[in-house]
Amino acid sequence: MIYNRSIILLLLFGLCIFKAFGQKKDPENQKPNIIVILTDDQGWADVGFNGGTDIPTPNLDRIAAEGVIFSNGYVSHPYCSPSRAGLLTGRYQARFGHDCNMPYTGENDASIGTPLSEKMISEALKEQGYRTSAIGKWHVGDHPDLHPTNQGFDHWFGFAGGGMNYWGIPQGPLQTILRNGKPVPENELSYLTDDFTNEAIQFITKKEDQPFFIYLAYNAPHAPDQATENYLKETKHIEYGGRSVYGAMVNAVDNGVGKIDSTLIANNLKKNTLLIYLSDNGGRSQHADNKPFRGYKGMIYEGGIKVPFFMTYPKEILKNQHYDHMISALDIFPTVLDASGANVSKEKQLDGVNLLPYVKGTTNKPPHEALFWRSVGGFEYAARIGDYKLYHRANEKNLMLFNIKNDPYERNNIANDNSVIVQELELAYEEWNAKNIPHGWEDPHAENVLKEQNQLNAIRTKALPLKKN
């Protein structure tokens, strides 16, 4: 039989089209999907994987056990906005003057917040072919010019300010749920923690060939304390009412992360997904649990900067790991960038390090010899080098020095007996701080933080026994 040449060519063309579009790509051979989940004001002991017992977090505990739990995972600042600025840029936020929360006027201009000149994780991953989504609380720039869609995110569902009721009821420009700049009708919202989870699932299940990056910033368990009946049932055993409601908010996050994990499994994506979970700072002073550490949100004691922190990447990282060397939220940017196949060394502005060689065991060296913190416009600062941590408040004459290895709960100030070490840490801080710039605006949050700390110190002073003659 003699075939018409044009028919043969048409059949061959059709076969090529089938091969190009008719066969699904193996998700395990693609660049990894990346999810960073950030909670708000969650305490160290508010999860089972850190030893918490009263708040049920079965999903978080199970997923954390599938990767590496960081026993000394720090954030770069003890409260919301600056911590997020550091995470998203991979740089100490003091490098660009963002070490304060923004004024809550709703009238801030584009000079207040993380500047567009700073490169965010989202922008770096878009260069690697990722589709990107920011979901939840933003709080690094409320002016429209600084919204996520102008900072490398293809998609944004959330609110710009620092706090929001959980029913999504608009209360001004900073407390309105937006989807890509447009207000979301109230009847499309239920309970924000669930809404943020569902938005993430929708983004995951879009039929796209590109790998995805999701920055999922829950506002839970930040105040106001609001929870639905189904989550309150899970914490009804907690007799103290405030802790019970707070625990229900944490349980809602746990439920959401569990649903996201199930979605990854159902779509054959889990093995090749790098997932990082952490809180933006230590737990708040009310209802959260930072035990056994000293301090809470707003303080540079361990309880204010050491947070629940884990990472999973089944394709590359072994499960059931606990990593004890200190690491930082600043490390997230270079870690995910390396996983994406990019050359991290080209991003010379980064202060963090790529954690993958460390958690894979290809090096035994610690990721960081030193970490630094500057808070409340420089009113407080801390430096940790090796086992020693220096803590200083500007209105206190005496510096505090702790050996974190021997005294992880910061109970014994050994500064008077170790003047040489104090001088070394002070000099190291000064050298680090010389690379920073002054804070760019006054901090409305700082006054409340300092007032709360001073009230606590006054209570402690009254509780001291009278000095005997």
Side-chain angles (χ1 to χ4, degrees):
M1 181 181 293
I2 300 175
Y3 291 94
N4 186 292
R5 184 171 181 270
S6 61
I7 294 176
I8 294 175
L9 290 174
L10 185 61
L11 290 172
L12 290 173
F13 178 76
L15 181 61
C16 291
I17 293 294
F18 174 78
K19 286 184 176 181
F21 298 101
Q23 295 180 344
K24 291 184 179 180
K25 293 181 179 180
D26 182 355
E28 292 186 13
N29 293 327
Q30 291 183 291
K31 291 183 177 184
N33 299 300
I34 297 166
I35 304 175
V36 175
I37 299 176
L38 187 69
T39 56
D40 200 348
D41 297 357
Q42 185 176 12
W44 175 265
D46 291 333
V47 288
F49 65 81
N50 278 343
T53 57
D54 60 340
I55 299 176
T57 55
N59 294 299
L60 292 172
D61 301 342
R62 172 181 54 79
I63 298 167
E66 295 171 351
V68 54
I69 297 170
F70 297 107
S71 305
N72 282 284
Y74 290 99
V75 288
S76 61
H77 197 279
Y79 53 85
C80 298
S81 181
S83 175
R84 293 159 194 268
L87 187 160
L88 287 166
T89 62
R91 279 162 48 82
Y92 284 110
Q93 56 283 340
R95 303 289 198 224
F96 45 93
H98 192 153
D99 48 354
C100 295
N101 275 358
M102 285 83 68
Y104 303 130
T105 63
E107 300 176 356
N108 296 329
D109 61 31
S111 70
I112 299 178
T114 298
L116 295 175
S117 57
E118 293 297 320
K119 188 174 185 177
M120 290 193 173
I121 298 176
S122 45
E123 295 170 297
L125 290 176
K126 276 188 70 66
E127 292 174 359
Q128 299 303 311
Y130 280 72
R131 56 188 180 96
T132 56
S133 176
I135 298 171
K137 175 176 171 176
W138 183 236
H139 205 205
V140 291
D142 51 61
H143 189 274
D145 288 354
L146 301 180
H147 284 179
T149 46
N150 291 318
Q151 306 241 44
F153 287 100
D154 302 316
H155 172 263
W156 175 38
F157 176 78
F159 61 98
M164 181 78 193
N165 68 80
Y166 285 80
W167 318 121
I169 301 172
Q171 295 177 315
L174 304 187
Q175 295 179 314
T176 297
I177 299 300
L178 305 174
R179 181 180 280 112
N180 300 324
K182 297 181 180 180
V184 177
E186 288 181 48
N187 60 8
E188 293 183 16
L189 301 169
S190 56
Y191 182 64
L192 276 193
T193 303
D194 295 341
D195 296 331
F196 294 152
T197 296
N198 293 335
E199 192 80 8
I201 290 173
Q202 288 179 21
F203 195 79
I204 290 169
T205 53
K206 281 186 175 180
K207 302 303 179 183
E208 302 280 354
D209 286 335
Q210 292 173 281
F212 61 77
F213 165 58
I214 298 175
Y215 170 61
L216 172 55
Y218 288 110
N219 57 318
H222 191 289
D225 295 343
Q226 297 170 334
T228 56
E229 185 177 359
N230 55 319
Y231 298 123
L232 288 167
K233 287 180 180 178
E234 299 299 321
T235 56
K236 63 182 180 181
H237 59 280
I238 301 176
E239 294 183 354
Y240 173 45
R243 175 70 174 172
S244 180
V245 177
Y246 173 93
M249 296 159 71
V250 173
N251 182 255
V253 171
D254 179 81
N255 181 73
V257 177
K259 287 182 176 179
I260 290 169
D261 184 63
S262 296
T263 300
L264 294 174
I265 294 171
N267 289 273
N268 194 28
L269 297 173
K270 179 166 179 171
K271 186 174 181 180
N272 198 31
T273 295
L274 169 58
L275 185 147
I276 299 173
Y277 178 96
L278 72 161
S279 176
D280 64 341
N281 44 249
R284 51 193 171 104
S285 59
Q286 288 188 320
H287 312 323
D289 187 355
N290 296 310
K291 292 195 295 287
F293 301 112
R294 180 178 183 177
Y296 47 81
K297 171 187 177 179
M299 307 177 81
I300 315 182
Y301 293 119
E302 296 290 276
I305 54 178
K306 185 178 288 187
V307 298
F309 203 145
F310 71 78
M311 177 169 64
T312 67
Y313 186 8
K315 185 179 176 182
E316 298 288 341
I317 298 175
L318 296 177
K319 60 183 179 179
N320 295 319
Q321 294 189 65
H322 279 79
Y323 191 79
D324 294 329
H325 289 301
M326 61 179 179
I327 62 105
S328 170
L330 301 176
D331 302 330
I332 292 174
F333 192 138
T335 300
V336 302
L337 198 57
D338 179 77
S340 76
N343 185 350
V344 180
S345 64
K346 291 184 178 180
E347 305 291 343
K348 299 185 183 302
Q349 80 281 8
L350 297 178
D351 289 312
V353 301
N354 172 22
L355 294 175
L356 291 177
Y358 300 93
V359 298
K360 289 182 180 180
T362 56
T363 177
N364 293 322
K365 295 180 180 180
H368 297 275
E369 291 294 338
L371 290 174
F372 301 93
W373 295 267
R374 188 180 86 174
S375 178
V376 198
F379 181 84
E380 300 183 282
Y381 67 81
R384 180 175 172 181
I385 300 179
D387 294 333
Y388 290 98
K389 178 181 172 185
L390 182 74
Y391 181 99
H392 179 259
R393 292 184 71 190
N395 66 345
E396 294 182 359
K397 295 181 180 179
N398 297 324
L399 296 168
M400 288 181 280
L401 180 70
F402 305 102
N403 184 314
I404 297 299
K405 182 178 180 180
N406 298 332
D407 179 25
Y409 312 137
E410 298 172 299
R411 294 174 178 171
N412 302 305
N413 180 8
I414 58 174
N416 290 338
D417 298 325
N418 295 276
S419 59
V420 173
I421 296 174
V422 169
Q423 291 175 1
E424 289 177 353
L425 267 68
E426 278 190 298
L427 179 60
Y429 174 81
E430 290 171 2
E431 291 178 349
W432 170 81
N433 196 41
K435 300 176 184 178
N436 300 327
I437 65 173
H439 59 284
W441 52 87
E442 293 305 315
D443 192 336
H445 192 58
E447 184 177 346
N448 293 332
V449 170
L450 294 177
K451 182 179 179 181
E452 193 173 60
Q453 290 184 26
N454 290 332
Q455 288 175 342
L456 182 60
N457 288 334
I459 292 171
R460 285 174 174 164
T461 300
K462 290 181 180 179
L464 291 173
L466 293 175
K467 187 175 181 179
K468 296 181 180 180
N469 295 325

